[in-house]
């Protein structure tokens, strides 16, 4: 894996927060300008929310982050301290927010873990395992969400959107099951297949990368085998808790404006949000900016009506912008910690 420090720090550059914010706000501004019936009161309506669901949304947001922090610390066999686990999760979220989901942030995640004192092999293994757990949540729960949704209540799920969802879901499922097979059953066979495929003439330029990735998978496989059931149970439950909390935030926000929601409405909201998230995974824009706002409006206008534009921005303000801001604030401190303070400590020990 190429862990070019300069490239990774360029990815983590705080200046990158402005592009996704510009796309996100710009998209909503475009809708405002093109809407002849728009008045400033439509944005001001966002302040007419019920307070309790809004407070609950922030509580659920905290639960989500705590679940992620607990998972990464448990995943690393508590080699990470609690403070290091917080840094890892917040910087990982920041990296995801400033890069397109389709690009992925594997190298960045490995780099962050490496700088927090986890050796390269374990960093790669933990990053791969995290990706598998998160993707497996989508693979398992997306079909359940579709089964729960009455097609008559989800007329938007047709045409282009349905095609995007099927494409995204298929890619996630294929990748997840291939990586499960490679990591847990036949890592050597996986490496052999990669090398054979890249032996084809027009694919030879990727042969070294395939060889390297095959070695990484074998390395990771050797590090995560023989883990106890308790270990797997804790990280799987933490994964489910984190993702359910992530989706529930939206339920809380919509409940603040739509007071007559019943259980079936909440299930429908969860299902729509999960489908929205799967589609966002193939977005070419940082953090799904623009695409997320577009489909949010398309999916949830039926519940929000005149509140829609204001709540669209509020939703991103709660679930997306904080990671841009927090990441930009803590990144300089983290860089100082792992590059300068750590070097001073090493120099002191050697002397």
């Amino acid at each position: 894996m190429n862990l070019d420090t300069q490239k990774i720090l360029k990815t983590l550059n705080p200046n990158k927060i402005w592009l996704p914010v510009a796309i996100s706000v710009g998209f909503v501004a475009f809708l405002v300008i093109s809407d002849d019936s728009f008045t400033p009161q439509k944005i001001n309506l966002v302040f007419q929310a019920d307070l309790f669901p809004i407070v609950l949304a922030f509580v659920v947001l905290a639960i989500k982050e705590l679940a992620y922090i607990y998972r990464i610390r448990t995943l690393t066999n508590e080699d990470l301290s609690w403070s290091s686990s917080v840094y890892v999760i917040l910087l990982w979220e920041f990296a995801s927010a400033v890069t397109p989901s389709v690009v992925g942030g594997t190298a960045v995640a490995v780099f962050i873990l490496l700088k927090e004192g986890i050796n390269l092999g374990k960093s790669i293994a933990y990053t791969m395992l995290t990706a598998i757990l998160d993707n497996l949540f989508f693979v398992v729960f997306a079909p359940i969400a579709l089964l729960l949704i009455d097609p008559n209540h989800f007329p938007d799920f047709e045409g282009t959107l349905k095609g995007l969802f099927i494409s995204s879901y298929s890619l996630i499922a294929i990748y997840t099951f291939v990586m499960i097979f490679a990591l847990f059953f036949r890592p050597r066979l996986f490496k052999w297949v990669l090398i054979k495929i890249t032996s084809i003439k027009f694919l030879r330029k990727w042969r070294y990368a395939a060889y390297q990735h095959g070695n990484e998978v074998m390395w990771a496989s050797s590090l995560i085998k023989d883990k106890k059931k308790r270990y797997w149970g804790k990280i799987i439950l933490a994964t489910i808790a984190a993702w359910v909390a992530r989706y529930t935030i939206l339920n809380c926000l919509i409940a603040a404006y739509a007071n007559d929601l019943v259980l079936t409405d909440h299930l429908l909201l969860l299902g729509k949000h999960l489908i929205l998230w799967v589609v966002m995974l193939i977005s070419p824009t940082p953090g799904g900016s623009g695409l997320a706002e577009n489909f949010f409006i398309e999916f949830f206008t039926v519940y929000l009506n005149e509140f829609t534009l204001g709540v669209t921005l509020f939703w991103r303000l709660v679930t997306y912008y904080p990671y841009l801001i927090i990441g930009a604030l803590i990144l300089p401190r983290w860089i100082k910690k792992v590059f300068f303070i750590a070097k001073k400590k090493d120099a002191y020990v050697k002397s």
Side-chain angles (χ1 to χ4, degrees), residues 272-305:
K272 284 188 173 186
H273 194 182
L274 196 148
I275 291 167
L276 168 62
W277 199 270
V278 173
V279 172
M280 284 169 58
L281 287 175
I282 57 173
S283 171
T285 59
S289 297
L291 187 72
E293 289 79 5
N294 176 64
F295 283 117
F296 180 91
I297 292 168
E298 187 173 336
F299 282 9
F300 304 114
T301 296
V302 65
Y303 294 100
L304 297 168
N305 299 314

Coordinates of all heavy atoms in Angstrom, one line a residue, residues 272-305:
K272 N -35.7 4.5 3.5 CA -35.3 5.5 2.5 C -33.9 6.0 2.7 O -33.2 6.2 1.8 CB -36.3 6.7 2.5 CG -37.7 6.4 1.8 CD -38.5 7.6 1.7 CE -39.8 7.4 0.9 NZ -40.5 8.7 0.7
H273 N -33.6 6.3 4.0 CA -32.3 6.8 4.3 C -31.2 5.8 4.0 O -30.1 6.2 3.5 CB -32.2 7.2 5.8 CG -31.1 8.0 6.2 ND1 -30.8 8.4 7.5 CD2 -30.1 8.6 5.4 CE1 -29.7 9.1 7.5 NE2 -29.3 9.2 6.3
L274 N -31.4 4.5 4.2 CA -30.5 3.5 3.9 C -30.2 3.5 2.4 O -29.1 3.4 1.9 CB -30.9 2.2 4.4 CG -29.8 1.1 4.5 CD1 -30.1 0.1 5.7 CD2 -29.8 0.3 3.2
I275 N -31.3 3.5 1.6 CA -31.2 3.5 0.2 C -30.5 4.8 -0.3 O -29.6 4.7 -1.2 CB -32.6 3.4 -0.5 CG1 -33.2 2.0 -0.2 CG2 -32.5 3.7 -2.0 CD1 -34.6 1.9 -0.5
L276 N -30.8 5.9 0.3 CA -30.1 7.2 0.0 C -28.6 7.0 0.2 O -27.8 7.4 -0.6 CB -30.6 8.3 0.8 CG -29.9 9.6 0.9 CD1 -29.8 10.3 -0.5 CD2 -30.5 10.6 1.9
W277 N -28.2 6.4 1.3 CA -26.8 6.3 1.7 C -26.1 5.3 0.7 O -24.9 5.6 0.3 CB -26.7 5.7 3.1 CG -25.3 6.0 3.7 CD1 -24.2 5.2 3.6 CD2 -24.9 7.2 4.4 NE1 -23.2 5.8 4.2 CE2 -23.5 7.1 4.7 CE3 -25.6 8.4 4.8 CZ2 -22.8 8.0 5.4 CZ3 -24.9 9.3 5.4 CH2 -23.5 9.2 5.7
V278 N -26.7 4.3 0.3 CA -26.1 3.3 -0.6 C -25.8 4.0 -2.0 O -24.8 3.9 -2.6 CB -27.0 2.1 -0.8 CG1 -26.4 1.2 -1.9 CG2 -27.1 1.3 0.5
V279 N -26.8 4.8 -2.4 CA -26.6 5.6 -3.7 C -25.5 6.6 -3.5 O -24.7 6.8 -4.4 CB -27.9 6.3 -4.1 CG1 -27.7 7.2 -5.2 CG2 -29.0 5.2 -4.4
M280 N -25.4 7.2 -2.3 CA -24.3 8.2 -2.1 C -22.9 7.6 -2.2 O -22.0 8.4 -2.4 CB -24.5 8.9 -0.7 CG -25.7 9.9 -0.7 SD -26.0 10.4 1.0 CE -24.5 11.1 1.6
L281 N -22.8 6.3 -2.0 CA -21.5 5.7 -1.9 C -20.8 5.8 -3.3 O -19.6 5.6 -3.4 CB -21.6 4.2 -1.5 CG -21.9 4.0 0.0 CD1 -22.1 2.6 0.3 CD2 -20.7 4.6 0.8
I282 N -21.6 6.0 -4.4 CA -20.9 6.1 -5.7 C -20.9 7.5 -6.2 O -20.7 7.8 -7.4 CB -21.6 5.2 -6.7 CG1 -23.1 5.5 -6.9 CG2 -21.4 3.7 -6.4 CD1 -23.8 4.7 -8.0
S283 N -21.1 8.4 -5.3 CA -21.1 9.9 -5.6 C -19.7 10.3 -6.0 O -18.7 10.0 -5.3 CB -21.6 10.7 -4.5 OG -21.4 12.1 -4.8
P284 N -19.5 11.1 -7.1 CA -18.2 11.6 -7.4 C -17.8 12.8 -6.7 O -16.7 13.3 -6.8 CB -18.3 11.9 -8.9 CG -19.8 12.3 -9.1 CD -20.5 11.4 -8.1
T285 N -18.7 13.4 -5.9 CA -18.4 14.6 -5.1 C -18.0 14.3 -3.7 O -18.4 13.3 -3.2 CB -19.6 15.6 -5.1 OG1 -20.7 14.9 -4.5 CG2 -20.0 16.0 -6.5
P286 N -17.2 15.2 -3.1 CA -16.8 15.0 -1.7 C -18.0 14.9 -0.7 O -18.9 15.7 -0.7 CB -16.0 16.2 -1.3 CG -15.6 16.8 -2.7 CD -16.7 16.4 -3.6
G287 N -18.0 13.7 0.0 CA -19.1 13.5 1.0 C -20.5 13.4 0.4 O -21.5 13.6 1.1
G288 N -20.6 13.2 -0.9 CA -21.9 13.1 -1.6 C -22.6 14.5 -1.7 O -23.8 14.5 -2.0
S289 N -21.8 15.6 -1.6 CA -22.4 16.9 -1.7 C -23.2 17.1 -3.0 O -22.7 16.7 -4.0 CB -21.3 18.0 -1.6 OG -20.7 17.9 -0.3
G290 N -24.3 17.7 -2.9 CA -25.2 17.9 -4.1 C -26.1 16.8 -4.3 O -27.3 16.9 -4.3
L291 N -25.5 15.6 -4.4 CA -26.3 14.4 -4.6 C -27.2 14.1 -3.4 O -28.4 13.7 -3.5 CB -25.4 13.2 -5.0 CG -26.2 11.9 -5.4 CD1 -26.8 12.0 -6.8 CD2 -25.2 10.7 -5.4
A292 N -26.5 14.2 -2.2 CA -27.2 13.9 -1.0 C -28.4 14.9 -0.8 O -29.5 14.4 -0.5 CB -26.3 14.1 0.2
E293 N -28.2 16.2 -1.0 CA -29.3 17.2 -0.9 C -30.4 16.9 -1.9 O -31.6 17.0 -1.6 CB -28.7 18.6 -1.1 CG -27.8 19.1 0.1 CD -26.4 18.5 0.0 OE1 -26.1 17.8 -1.0 OE2 -25.6 18.8 0.9
N294 N -30.0 16.6 -3.1 CA -31.0 16.3 -4.2 C -32.0 15.2 -3.8 O -33.2 15.3 -3.8 CB -30.3 16.0 -5.5 CG -31.3 15.6 -6.6 OD1 -32.1 16.5 -7.0 ND2 -31.2 14.4 -7.0
F295 N -31.4 14.0 -3.4 CA -32.2 12.9 -3.1 C -32.9 13.1 -1.7 O -34.0 12.5 -1.5 CB -31.4 11.6 -3.1 CG -31.2 11.1 -4.5 CD1 -29.9 11.1 -5.0 CD2 -32.2 10.8 -5.4 CE1 -29.6 10.6 -6.3 CE2 -32.0 10.4 -6.7 CZ -30.7 10.3 -7.1
F296 N -32.3 13.8 -0.8 CA -33.0 14.1 0.4 C -34.3 14.8 0.2 O -35.4 14.5 0.7 CB -32.1 15.0 1.3 CG -32.8 15.3 2.7 CD1 -32.6 14.5 3.8 CD2 -33.6 16.5 2.8 CE1 -33.2 14.8 5.0 CE2 -34.2 16.8 4.0 CZ -34.0 15.9 5.1
I297 N -34.3 15.8 -0.7 CA -35.5 16.6 -1.1 C -36.5 15.7 -1.8 O -37.7 15.7 -1.5 CB -35.1 17.8 -1.9 CG1 -34.3 18.8 -1.1 CG2 -36.3 18.5 -2.5 CD1 -33.6 19.9 -1.9
E298 N -36.0 14.9 -2.7 CA -36.9 14.0 -3.4 C -37.6 13.0 -2.5 O -38.7 12.7 -2.7 CB -36.0 13.3 -4.5 CG -36.9 12.5 -5.5 CD -36.1 11.9 -6.6 OE1 -35.0 12.5 -7.0 OE2 -36.5 10.9 -7.2
F299 N -36.8 12.4 -1.5 CA -37.4 11.4 -0.7 C -38.3 11.9 0.4 O -39.3 11.3 0.8 CB -36.2 10.6 0.0 CG -35.5 9.6 -0.9 CD1 -35.8 9.6 -2.2 CD2 -34.6 8.8 -0.3 CE1 -35.1 8.6 -3.0 CE2 -33.9 7.9 -1.1 CZ -34.2 7.8 -2.5
F300 N -38.0 13.1 1.0 CA -38.6 13.5 2.2 C -39.5 14.7 2.2 O -40.0 15.1 3.2 CB -37.5 13.7 3.3 CG -36.7 12.4 3.5 CD1 -35.3 12.5 3.2 CD2 -37.2 11.2 3.9 CE1 -34.5 11.3 3.3 CE2 -36.4 10.1 4.1 CZ -35.1 10.1 3.8
T301 N -39.7 15.3 1.0 CA -40.6 16.4 0.8 C -42.0 16.1 1.3 O -42.7 16.9 1.9 CB -40.6 16.9 -0.6 OG1 -39.3 17.4 -1.0 CG2 -41.6 18.0 -0.8
V302 N -42.4 14.8 1.1 CA -43.7 14.4 1.4 C -44.0 14.5 2.9 O -45.1 14.7 3.3 CB -44.0 12.9 1.0 CG1 -43.0 11.9 1.7 CG2 -45.4 12.5 1.1
Y303 N -42.9 14.5 3.7 CA -43.1 14.6 5.2 C -42.9 16.1 5.6 O -43.4 16.5 6.6 CB -42.1 13.8 5.9 CG -42.3 12.3 5.8 CD1 -41.5 11.6 4.9 CD2 -43.3 11.6 6.5 CE1 -41.7 10.2 4.7 CE2 -43.5 10.3 6.3 CZ -42.7 9.6 5.4 OH -42.9 8.2 5.2
L304 N -42.1 16.8 4.9 CA -41.6 18.1 5.3 C -42.4 19.3 4.7 O -42.4 20.4 5.2 CB -40.1 18.3 5.1 CG -39.3 17.3 5.9 CD1 -37.8 17.3 5.4 CD2 -39.3 17.6 7.4
N305 N -42.8 19.1 3.4 CA -43.5 20.2 2.7 C -42.8 21.5 2.7 O -41.7 21.6 2.2 CB -44.9 20.3 3.3 CG -45.8 19.1 3.2 OD1 -45.8 18.4 2.1 ND2 -46.4 18.6 4.2

